[in-house]
């Protein structure tokens, strides 16, 4: 390329693509909390909130199927903006069981983190 | 085409600046890692983790209890239950275990007809938690109990940190 001419749009997009290709795994590592040196206290609090959410889900009688429920803010964690949701669905392979999944999420895209916990319960009710 | 090199060129200056910036950044980072702030943060993290591991064990014990006799409803500083034993057998009715918040300490005790023992709780020595304020067991429903207390961190970095655990009583 001659000196003085700027890069074309295509080339800029190419560089952006290469940079994203290299950086995306690191962003993924961040979001699955594989690098817990920073915000470790936040992680601890979020994991406790997740356990509490799961225990609450186990306490209530099994509702038929609440899959794809919405994230709602968790009381007491307003400073983190922590959101949680509970999904209860029939087990995909065992008819007599239900799959209970609790999830918490905080932060905003692309530096968003979420933790989830799953539990298999017997379908004695409902 | 062959260029004669005379003096330091622009790209060499650029490269030198980049390396200098990286080395300064690295040394600042290592100073930050060694700082007292970081050490205090690590101590606090270790403390919170320790308290949470005790709470995990307490929650597991109460969650798997065969019968939770106290608090039957409302809230109390004490919690008594008949523990689950191996081989799915029941302990004698006269034998009860419990957790007690007393004088800002959390104790594990076991009650027998003739005596009340302050023994070890698993790997934790009694009192299993020290310096916990406003500790309470709150029976929220027939199959749900909540533990709540506040604590100050030992190195004074955090005051009145709240710990709250909700426990599903699995044998209800």
């Amino acid at each position: 390329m001659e000196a003085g001419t700027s890069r074309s749009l295509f080339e800029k997009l190419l560089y952006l693509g290469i940079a994203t290709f290299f950086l995306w795994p690191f962003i993924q590592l961040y979001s699955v909390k594989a690098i817990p040196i920073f915000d470790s206290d936040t992680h601890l609090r979020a994991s406790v909130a997740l356990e509490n959410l799961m225990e609450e889900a186990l306490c209530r009688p099994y509702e038929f199927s609440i899959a794809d429920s919405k994230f709602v803010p968790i009381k007491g964690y307003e400073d983190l903006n922590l959101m949680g949701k509970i999904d209860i669905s029939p087990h995909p392979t065992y008819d007599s069981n239900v799959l209970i999944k609790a999830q918490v999420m905080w932060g905003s895209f692309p530096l968003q983190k979420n933790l989830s916990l799953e539990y298999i319960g017997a379908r004695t009710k409902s | 085409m062959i260029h004669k090199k005379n003096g330091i060129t622009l790209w060499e200056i650029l490269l030198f600046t980049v390396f200098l910036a990286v080395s300064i950044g690295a040394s600042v980072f290592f100073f930050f890692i060694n700082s007292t702030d970081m050490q205090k943060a690590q101590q606090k993290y270790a403390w919170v983790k320790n308290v949470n591991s005790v709470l995990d064990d307490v929650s597991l014990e109460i969650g798997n209890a065969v019968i939770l006799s106290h608090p039957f409803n409302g809230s109390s500083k004490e919690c008594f239950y008949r523990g689950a034993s191996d081989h799915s057998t029941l302990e004698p009715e006269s034998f009860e275990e419990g957790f007690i918040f007393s004088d800002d300490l959390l104790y594990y005790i076991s009650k027998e007809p003739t005596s009340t023992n302050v023994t070890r709780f698993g790997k934790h020595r009694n009192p299993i938690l020290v310096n916990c304020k406003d500790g309470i067991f709150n029976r929220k429903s027939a199959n749900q109990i909540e533990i709540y207390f506040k604590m100050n961190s030992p190195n004074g970095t955090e005051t009145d940190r709240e710990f709250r655990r909700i426990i599903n009583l699995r044998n209800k």
Side-chain angles (χ1 to χ4, degrees), chain A:
Chain A
M1 194 188 337
E2 286 172 36
T5 57
S6 62
R7 307 269 186 223
S8 70
L9 181 66
F10 175 72
E11 283 172 315
K12 281 175 186 163
L13 283 175
L14 206 65
Y15 294 149
L16 190 71
I18 291 166
T20 315
F21 183 83
F22 277 111
L23 294 178
W24 192 243
F26 294 101
I27 290 175
Q28 279 181 320
L29 277 181
Y30 177 85
S31 64
V32 298
K33 84 172 190 60
I35 317 173
I37 12 171
F38 303 110
D39 290 337
S40 47
D41 193 48
T42 311
H43 286 294
L44 272 177
R45 286 183 65 198
S47 58
V48 169
L50 181 66
E51 280 181 55
N52 282 345
L53 201 67
M54 176 53 95
E55 294 287 296
E56 260 177 44
L58 293 176
C59 280
R60 59 192 196 193
Y62 295 142
E63 283 143 78
F64 228 90
S65 166
I66 343 171
D68 301 326
S69 57
K70 293 271 179 299
F71 274 103
V72 288
I74 299 179
K75 211 181 130 198
Y77 294 86
E78 287 83 3
D79 53 329
L80 292 188
N81 226 341
L82 195 73
M83 314 274 272
K85 77 166 180 174
I86 297 163
D87 289 327
I88 300 174
S89 53
H91 195 281
T93 42
Y94 306 114
D95 286 344
S96 54
N97 288 345
V98 285
L99 205 64
I100 304 158
K101 186 178 184 185
Q103 257 181 289
V104 291
M105 179 191 77
W106 72 102
S108 51
F109 182 82
L111 302 178
Q112 191 179 42
K113 299 197 184 191
N114 60 324
L115 300 175
S116 66
L117 202 59
E118 280 185 1
Y119 199 96
I120 295 179
R123 213 153 91 182
T124 50
K125 304 161 193 176
S126 97

Side-chain angles (χ1 to χ4, degrees), chain B residues 103-167:
Chain B
D103 297 333
D104 290 354
L105 303 165
L106 178 63
Y107 283 100
Y108 163 76
I109 61 162
S110 55
K111 289 201 292 191
E112 283 172 52
T114 51
S115 61
T116 300
N117 307 315
V118 182
T119 53
R120 284 179 79 93
F121 172 59
K123 63 185 179 197
H124 310 292
R125 213 180 297 159
N126 260 316
I128 56 177
L129 283 177
V130 291
N131 204 11
C132 40
K133 295 180 288 179
D134 308 334
I136 218 153
F137 294 95
N138 189 11
R139 185 80 176 253
K140 293 184 128 186
S141 69
N143 59 358
Q144 196 177 5
I145 192 167
E146 180 192 38
I147 309 176
Y148 172 83
F149 58 86
K150 288 181 195 163
M151 257 178 133
N152 295 341
S153 71
N155 60 7
T157 45
E158 194 171 358
T159 51
D160 285 346
R161 182 172 175 125
E162 294 186 345
F163 291 90
R164 187 190 303 272
R165 284 299 174 101
I166 292 162
I167 304 168

